Amino acid sequence: MRIFLQRALGLLLLGAGVSGTATAQAINENFDNVPGLFTSGWSQKNNSSPLGASTWVQGSTATFPSFNGAGTSYIAVNFNSTTGTGTINQWLFTPVRDIKNDDSVIFYTRIPAGTVYPDRLELRLSTAGASTDVGTTATSVGDFSILVTSVNPNLSSSTTYPAGYPNVWTRIGAKVTGLAGPVSGRFAFRYHVTNGGPNGANSNYIGVDAFQFKPFVSGCPAVTIATPASTNLCPGTPLLLSASAATGNPSFQWFLNNNPIAGATSDAYIVTAGGAYTVRATYGAPQSCVSTSNLVTINTIPKPTANFSFDSYCVGRATMFSNTTTVTPATTPVAYRWNFGAGGRDTVIAGNTSFTYGTTGARQVKLVAIPNGCLAQADSITKTITLETPPAGMRLPTVNVKYDTPTELMARTLPGAALEWNPPVMISSATIVNPTVRAVREQDYRIFYRYASGCETVDSLLVRIFTENNIFVPTAFSPNGDGQNDRLRPLLVGITNFRTFRVYNRLGQELFSTGDAMTTGWDGTYKGQALPADTYMWVTEGYDRNGNFIRRNGQVVLVR
């Protein structure tokens, strides 16, 4: 809802008195006395449809105070320019002036703070002398076909300029261009809103203050802002801008983004915020000659968003850290410091890097991003990396197989690891624990176990080829503790049901017996006592994959 007080403004009585005076050409109107305008060259016209009762009136402090002067010293217009739901086409004409290219117009405008109904204000120009012909319809512009500037041309509900209509006093400036030569004419404010009025979705109340028309004076001494040592502003470290006039001793006024900076009236200004800076030098009175300086854009150094990722967390393996820090614009120079949480100093590196950890445990990894040497805008991020170490690899027992006969192999099962046999030849699958091999040659396999941490364990398994199903026993062994041939075991080829393996001395006394051919084996002892070097007899039995009973015996030499 619109505020009732704002609706009532159309019925306010007009004030009295005229304080804005103009030179022969310049206009400097503060709207201290709106009724007096219309006896000093200003005029107004309402072409809204349907026609409403509201006109351009004295401002009200109950809605908002003026930009300068007394609280009511501004001119206002509102939604009652039309009735019901209609199109507002309300005009305010300035006095006639001689107008040429590079003449400038300045004014301040705003809408009430709070509930937003989109409003629109245009400043138009007629080159037809004292004409106030704007046509006869709610959309016509007549002789005022030149659009100088527009506030909220798209009827946006935003309350910031230029996105929408500002809800604080905002300076609007424009320069006359495109004329073929000097003309006699006048400017006009056009309050133009579709779907407006008391029942419309748009239009509310706008104020205009501090209107100035400044004729361009050729030959006005130039004013220049010196190029600063840097145009990059680090918050907390101000920059100094200085201006100088070509001649004379003018008064200065600094502007930020075309808005005057309060109190900035010397030839130097200390910058604490980014933006577009200009300075205006005024010579004589009342403002008979004004020069505008070059524009200096100060950019606030942007704050980056520090971030990184890492690919692994395995002890002894290089962990790759990928720098994913973002900063806008991307061309901003950024320095980076890494701390890998391993007790060392920070490392200064341009971007991606790697680090190898020597022990397990949690580490705090920190990345600091410093844009353009500005510590005030630095950003950092810390992530925890928990280092792991893989199980040790091992040599699995040799598997003896019959030539081109399907035989199951068996790898270790290591939880959390993805398994792969290499090379992936002669086996049914390279990614399962128990593939079937049809071996036509001897093959030494590597079994890779890969973890999410990047760790890797490698086992090995030898597959040997025999031409028949059989049980083989070595002819000698040396149980001396050197890890080589310390136990006597039968070698099974195609045996699916192993029965027994027994060892005897020369007198036929049984020294050893087992039904496990893979893991036990005889260590050359009897009842815990090492037997001497000698020749011993053995007997072994089992069934092959075809169900055939196989019994073998022979001799073995124990070497000390």
Side-chain angles (χ1 to χ4, degrees):
M1 294 181 60
R2 299 179 180 86
I3 300 173
F4 175 78
L5 179 61
Q6 294 174 353
R7 287 187 177 275
L9 287 173
L11 304 177
L12 291 177
L13 295 176
L14 301 179
V18 177
S19 61
T21 60
T23 64
Q25 288 297 320
I27 301 176
N28 186 17
E29 180 56 61
N30 291 315
F31 303 106
D32 297 325
N33 181 357
V34 170
L37 292 176
F38 306 115
T39 61
S40 59
W42 293 73
S43 61
Q44 61 177 317
K45 181 179 291 187
N46 189 358
N47 270 4
S48 302
S49 178
L51 185 65
S54 180
T55 61
W56 292 85
V57 298
Q58 194 76 50
S60 169
T61 56
T63 306
F64 49 76
S66 67
F67 171 71
N68 58 15
T72 61
S73 293
Y74 66 94
I75 194 167
V77 67
N78 70 10
F79 57 89
N80 283 321
S81 298
T82 187
T83 61
T85 300
T87 298
I88 297 174
N89 195 24
Q90 179 84 268
W91 296 81
L92 175 67
F93 306 96
T94 71
V96 179
R97 289 292 184 267
D98 294 331
I99 302 170
K100 62 185 180 303
N101 289 332
D102 293 326
D103 289 349
S104 60
V105 178
I106 300 169
F107 62 93
Y108 289 76
T109 187
R110 64 168 291 180
I111 60 175
T115 303
V116 176
Y117 287 79
D119 270 315
R120 173 169 54 201
L121 180 67
E122 296 177 347
L123 181 67
R124 289 185 168 270
L125 172 63
S126 165
T127 61
S131 173
T132 58
D133 180 7
V134 292
T136 59
T137 71
T139 58
S140 62
V141 295
D143 289 337
F144 291 80
S145 59
I146 300 174
L147 178 64
V148 179
T149 189
S150 179
V151 183
N152 198 17
N154 299 317
L155 292 175
S156 166
S157 60
S158 172
T159 56
T160 59
Y161 179 79
Y165 215 106
N167 66 358
V168 295
W169 286 112
T170 299
R171 180 184 184 279
I172 309 297
K175 184 176 288 188
V176 177
T177 61
L179 297 180
V183 298
S184 175
R186 65 200 310 175
F187 296 95
F189 286 106
R190 183 194 188 200
Y191 179 41
H192 179 52
V193 185
T194 55
N195 193 16
N199 298 331
N202 301 327
S203 79
N204 191 9
Y205 174 99
I206 64 172
V208 177
D209 201 357
F211 175 82
Q212 296 181 39
F213 168 60
K214 295 183 177 182
F216 172 74
V217 179
S218 62
C220 191
V223 60
T224 304
I225 301 176
T227 302
S230 174
T231 57
N232 295 316
L233 176 67
C234 180
T237 306
L239 299 174
L240 177 66
L241 294 180
S242 60
S244 60
T247 60
N249 186 26
S251 59
F252 293 96
Q253 174 62 61
W254 289 85
F255 288 79
L256 172 58
N257 299 328
N258 288 326
N259 293 308
I261 304 171
T265 56
S266 71
D267 60 355
Y269 181 70
I270 297 176
V271 174
T272 58
Y277 287 86
T278 55
V279 66
R280 292 180 183 174
T282 301
Y283 298 81
Q287 300 185 357
S288 59
C289 179
V290 179
S291 285
T292 300
S293 73
N294 55 306
L295 181 146
V296 174
T297 300
I298 302 298
N299 301 305
T300 300
I301 295 174
K303 187 180 184 70
T305 301
N307 202 4
F308 66 89
S309 61
F310 51 90
D311 68 341
S312 62
Y313 41 97
C314 183
V315 171
R317 176 189 176 97
T319 298
M320 301 301 300
F321 291 94
S322 298
N323 189 339
T324 57
T325 297
T326 57
V327 62
T328 302
T331 54
T332 303
V334 181
Y336 298 99
R337 290 207 311 260
W338 292 87
N339 189 299
F340 301 108
R345 290 184 174 183
D346 290 357
T347 302
V348 179
I349 298 176
N352 302 335
T353 185
S354 65
F355 190 81
T356 302
Y357 293 92
T359 57
T360 59
R363 303 290 186 273
Q364 300 298 312
V365 181
K366 182 177 183 180
L367 172 63
V368 181
I370 307 170
N372 207 16
C374 181
L375 290 176
Q377 293 291 75
D379 189 43
S380 67
I381 186 171
T382 300
K383 295 185 179 182
T384 300
I385 179 171
T386 302
L387 283 306
E388 298 179 1
T389 187
M394 64 180 296
R395 182 73 171 178
L396 300 179
T398 298
V399 176
N400 303 301
V401 302
K402 185 179 178 181
Y403 179 86
D404 198 24
T405 301
T407 304
E408 184 181 62
L409 304 181
M410 184 62 67
R412 287 194 293 168
T413 299
L414 298 182
L419 175 148
E420 181 182 8
W421 293 75
N422 190 52
V425 296
M426 301 184 295
I427 53 176
S428 58
S429 172
T431 58
I432 62 175
V433 174
N434 58 334
T436 298
V437 63
R438 293 184 67 104
V440 294
R441 66 177 183 273
E442 185 175 286
Q443 181 64 57
D444 197 0
Y445 289 99
R446 296 291 182 268
I447 307 166
F448 292 89
Y449 299 87
R450 299 185 176 96
Y451 297 83
S453 64
C455 290
E456 186 175 85
T457 296
V458 183
D459 287 352
S460 61
L461 184 149
L462 176 64
V463 174
R464 290 191 298 200
I465 303 296
F466 293 86
T467 58
E468 60 179 350
N469 296 332
N470 207 338
I471 303 176
F472 300 92
V473 177
T475 58
F477 77 112
S478 57
N480 56 8
D482 65 356
Q484 301 293 324
N485 298 317
D486 285 336
R487 289 182 178 270
L488 181 67
R489 297 185 180 91
L491 305 179
L492 309 182
V493 178
I495 303 301
T496 57
N497 183 7
F498 179 74
R499 297 293 300 276
T500 183
F501 174 61
R502 298 188 298 275
V503 180
Y504 301 88
N505 61 17
R506 291 176 181 271
L507 301 178
Q509 181 183 14
E510 185 178 284
L511 305 176
F512 173 78
S513 177
T514 183
D516 183 356
M518 300 299 294
T519 61
T520 309
W522 183 43
D523 63 359
T525 66
Y526 179 65
K527 294 183 178 181
Q529 298 297 317
L531 297 178
D534 201 348
T535 298
Y536 297 86
M537 276 63 67
W538 54 265
V539 176
T540 184
E541 298 173 352
Y543 291 87
D544 69 10
R545 65 181 67 255
N546 300 317
N548 299 316
F549 178 73
I550 296 176
R551 186 176 190 276
R552 299 287 184 264
N553 57 65
Q555 297 179 342
V556 63
V557 176
L558 189 157
V559 180
R560 292 288 184 188

